[in-house]
Amino acid sequence: MSVIRFVSLSFQARLTLLAAAAVAMAIIGPGLVIYYLIESFLIGGLDANLQALASRYHVVGVSPNATYVQVDLGPVSPLSPSGYVQFVDAQGQVLHLADVRQRDDFLDLSTTSLDVRVADGQASGYFRDAYVSNAHDHTRTHVRVFTSSAGDGLAIQVAEPREDIDSTLGYLRVVLTFIAACGVVLALILGRLLAQVALAPIQRLRGAVDHVTQTGDMTQRVPVGGKDELSRLASHFNRMLAALDRSLSSQRQLVADASHELRTPLASVRTNVEVLKRSPDLPHQERERMLDDVLAQVQQLSQLVQDLIDLARGDQVPMVFEEVRLDWVAAAAIERAARNWPAVRFQSDLHETVVFGDAHRLERAISNLLDNAGKWSPAGETVEVRVMDHELTVRDHGPGIAPEDLPHVFDRFWRAPAARGLPGSGLGLAIVRQVVEAHGATVTAELPPDGGTLMRLRFVPVVARALATPRTRAS
Ligand SMILES: Nc1ncnc2c1ncn2[C@@H]1O[C@H](COP(=O)(O)OP(=O)(O)OP(=O)(O)O)[C@@H](O)[C@H]1O
Ligand SMILES: [Mg+2]
């Protein structure tokens, strides 16, 4: 099977085939080794026998017409009844025994040029396999032949049938093939069962994915049991679903909150415009006041929409992370805040501090803090801004925040009851928190003992951060 066809099979089929192939190799490998060991053991025994036989024939003389060989043999014929012996001279001429025990059914073993070279003394003895044909019944016998030098320019060839060995090996081949075939079939069945068991968690995972795709229901979870790789995959999948679920509901919440917040100023704008339309003869001053109102509300709406866009884009907008002089960013924000809140005195104590971040987003966050401080400071009061040791603090001397409100100040759209009369939408500190979290920094609201509010931004020192998260730096 080609690699491409194998890869295009289902995972289960691949697992089954691989398991079957592994088992087949585990059976066939040792089977082949056993087969060749037994074969060489049996042939080795036969060869040793032939060699011993050949050494017992001693040539006494050759007949004058070079047809027969006289040999001196021990008291018992060393050959088995089915064995063969013959001699070959250096011309390739075959000579038979002229011994008293010579049998008359001797057949010629075929001779080769190597046999002649052995007779000549140019090559040493060797074994080979051959077939002898029986002239009487036209059968062929598979024999093992040993050829070695017999002296006097002759080579002796002794042969014994190897049919016993052949049938033993044939039987062995059948048995081993049968075992291997059974093993492969068993391996295929077991491999399939194994693959089904192993892939059951993947099927469950796929079921969950299908369910989410079809229904969009992110509350579905895959059952996780155990600590293996697939269980870990399932729990990662569950975590991913939970994160998606959280993100989706926070987006839904944002949309719901935003629509709610937009509705009030829009209704107010609409009322004012309707009054203006219905009463063309309104006094000029009254008309101007209402138009100013509408303008202010529209401005507030634009600010709200801009804040919402900032919040909704959140982390999606790629930040330009670089080494930033926090004191310089703060100085720029203070300059603008001082223009916006001329009645408030902004006092700065800025020391060189480098942080790793996006200067533009940082300035937005600091401006929001300064804006709150300016908004809540009584006229003529001071706002102290300090940058030092990777920390920025903004401290005002306004009414402060009620301790029970502290946990909520960073929530979207949250405003203290006292703030409802002032312009704003309650998104300023939510944006601060988002920017700060994207920088791996922290923001806290504190209540100094002598009144007012203190907001504190704490950054991770630039070297440690750059080393800890090099990917952020690359981005
Ligand atoms: N310096 C502060 N002094 C007193 N209260 C504050 C101060 N900063 C924030 N708050 C309280 O926290 C609330 C949330 O602040 P946030 O900046 O998120 O909203 P906002 O200032 O009301 O509106 P926005 O910033 O969107 O214009 C404020 O409405 C206010 O009640
Ligand atoms: Mg604000």
Side-chain angles (χ1 to χ4, degrees):
M1 185 188 305
S2 72
V3 176
I4 294 175
R5 273 180 65 195
F6 181 76
V7 169
S8 65
L9 285 176
S10 77
F11 189 49
Q12 182 165 334
R14 273 187 280 164
L15 214 63
T16 308
L17 280 182
L18 284 175
V23 175
M25 266 155 67
I27 296 174
I28 292 171
L32 284 177
V33 171
I34 289 173
Y35 179 83
Y36 284 111
L37 279 179
I38 291 178
E39 183 185 36
S40 70
F41 175 77
L42 293 176
I43 299 282
L46 183 60
D47 287 353
N49 218 13
L50 287 174
Q51 208 164 8
L53 274 175
S55 68
R56 293 186 63 183
Y57 287 88
H58 299 288
V59 178
V60 175
V62 180
S63 68
N65 56 355
T67 324
Y68 295 105
V69 175
Q70 297 275 319
V71 295
D72 174 14
L73 203 55
V76 183
S77 168
L79 266 181
S80 72
S82 51
Y84 307 88
V85 62
Q86 68 180 27
F87 292 82
V88 180
D89 66 15
Q91 283 74 46
Q93 170 83 33
V94 174
L95 297 91
H96 292 297
L97 287 177
D99 185 82
V100 276
R101 298 178 191 86
Q102 177 189 348
R103 297 183 332 218
D104 56 4
D105 59 344
F106 268 119
L107 300 167
D108 275 354
L109 292 169
S110 59
T111 55
T112 66
S113 60
L114 186 55
D115 296 339
V116 174
R117 289 176 59 212
V118 173
D120 220 8
Q122 289 172 13
S124 49
Y126 77 102
F127 297 94
R128 68 180 158 92
D129 289 331
Y131 284 91
V132 276
S133 304
N134 190 319
H136 301 302
D137 56 8
H138 303 289
T139 52
R140 272 155 53 90
T141 310
H142 193 197
V143 293
R144 183 82 175 157
V145 186
F146 177 57
T147 308
S148 79
S149 170
D152 296 335
L154 290 175
I156 179 170
Q157 295 191 292
V158 281
E160 284 278 3
R162 46 168 293 172
E163 261 141 8
D164 283 352
I165 294 179
D166 285 348
S167 69
T168 305
L169 289 177
Y171 179 68
L172 195 64
R173 272 197 300 274
V174 170
V175 170
L176 288 177
T177 309
F178 180 72
I179 292 176
C182 288
V184 169
V185 170
L186 198 71
L188 277 171
I189 296 170
L190 283 179
R192 193 175 158 76
L193 284 177
L194 203 87
Q196 270 169 359
V197 173
L199 296 181
I202 292 187
Q203 295 289 11
R204 281 203 295 275
L205 200 63
R206 205 182 71 185
V209 172
D210 286 349
H211 177 81
V212 172
T213 315
Q214 280 157 16
T215 61
D217 168 22
M218 304 261 190
T219 55
Q220 164 93 4
R221 296 289 177 270
V222 187
V224 181
K227 289 185 173 151
D228 55 22
E229 290 82 349
L230 288 177
S231 305
R232 280 208 295 274
L233 179 66
S235 67
H236 279 286
F237 177 75
N238 283 345
R239 253 181 282 162
M240 183 190 79
L241 272 186
L244 282 175
D245 195 19
R246 271 199 306 277
S247 149
L248 198 71
S249 33
S250 104
Q251 274 178 29
R252 284 202 185 117
Q253 189 61 40
L254 179 65
V255 171
D257 290 349
S259 333
H260 180 79
E261 291 301 314
L262 286 168
R263 200 174 298 143
T264 319
L266 273 178
S268 159
V269 169
R270 181 184 171 160
T271 317
N272 282 346
V273 173
E274 275 173 358
V275 171
L276 285 169
K277 188 183 174 198
R278 253 185 292 137
S279 341
D281 43 358
L282 262 183
H284 179 72
Q285 258 183 339
E286 181 71 357
R287 199 180 171 76
E288 282 297 298
R289 194 191 57 76
M290 286 185 83
L291 279 173
D292 283 351
D293 245 23
V294 170
L295 264 181
Q297 280 157 347
V298 168
Q299 212 169 352
Q300 205 180 329
L301 272 172
S302 321
Q303 183 60 45
L304 176 61
V305 169
Q306 185 53 51
D307 286 354
L308 275 173
I309 291 172
D310 278 5
L311 262 184
R313 276 149 124 206
D315 302 330
Q316 284 169 2
V317 180
M319 296 201 194
V320 188
F321 270 77
E322 56 198 356
E323 289 183 1
V324 173
R325 283 284 296 267
L326 190 63
D327 47 328
W328 293 353
V329 176
I334 291 168
E335 204 181 301
R336 209 181 22 250
R339 271 201 308 274
N340 288 347
W341 306 98
V344 180
R345 234 159 45 83
F346 285 89
Q347 204 174 65
S348 52
D349 177 18
L350 309 178
H351 299 267
E352 178 177 336
T353 283
V354 180
V355 296
F356 200 62
D358 180 324
H360 181 72
R361 305 296 302 263
L362 285 174
E363 189 175 336
R364 174 79 204 270
I366 297 170
S367 292
N368 283 4
L369 294 181
L370 295 178
D371 188 50
N372 283 353
K375 187 157 58 175
W376 296 95
S377 291
E381 266 297 356
T382 328
V383 170
E384 290 119 34
V385 186
R386 186 170 154 145
V387 174
M388 204 173 163
D389 294 338
H390 303 97
E391 199 174 273
L392 175 141
T393 52
V394 177
R395 201 252 147 109
D396 66 54
H397 298 272
I401 301 168
E404 66 271 20
D405 290 342
L406 275 183
H408 307 294
V409 286
F410 295 102
D411 292 350
R412 286 193 304 232
F413 299 111
W414 187 88
R415 310 187 74 202
R420 311 248 156 103
L422 292 171
S425 57
L427 289 179
L429 288 183
I431 292 174
V432 172
R433 184 173 62 180
Q434 193 180 57
V435 172
V436 158
E437 279 175 358
H439 282 77
T442 55
V443 56
T444 47
E446 298 168 21
L447 301 176
D450 52 340
T453 307
L454 189 144
M455 306 296 288
R456 189 189 298 277
L457 293 193
R458 199 172 292 129
F459 289 85
V460 181
V462 79
V463 175
R465 183 170 169 74
L467 284 178
T469 54
R471 257 188 323 137
T472 316
R473 170 162 226 175
S475 71

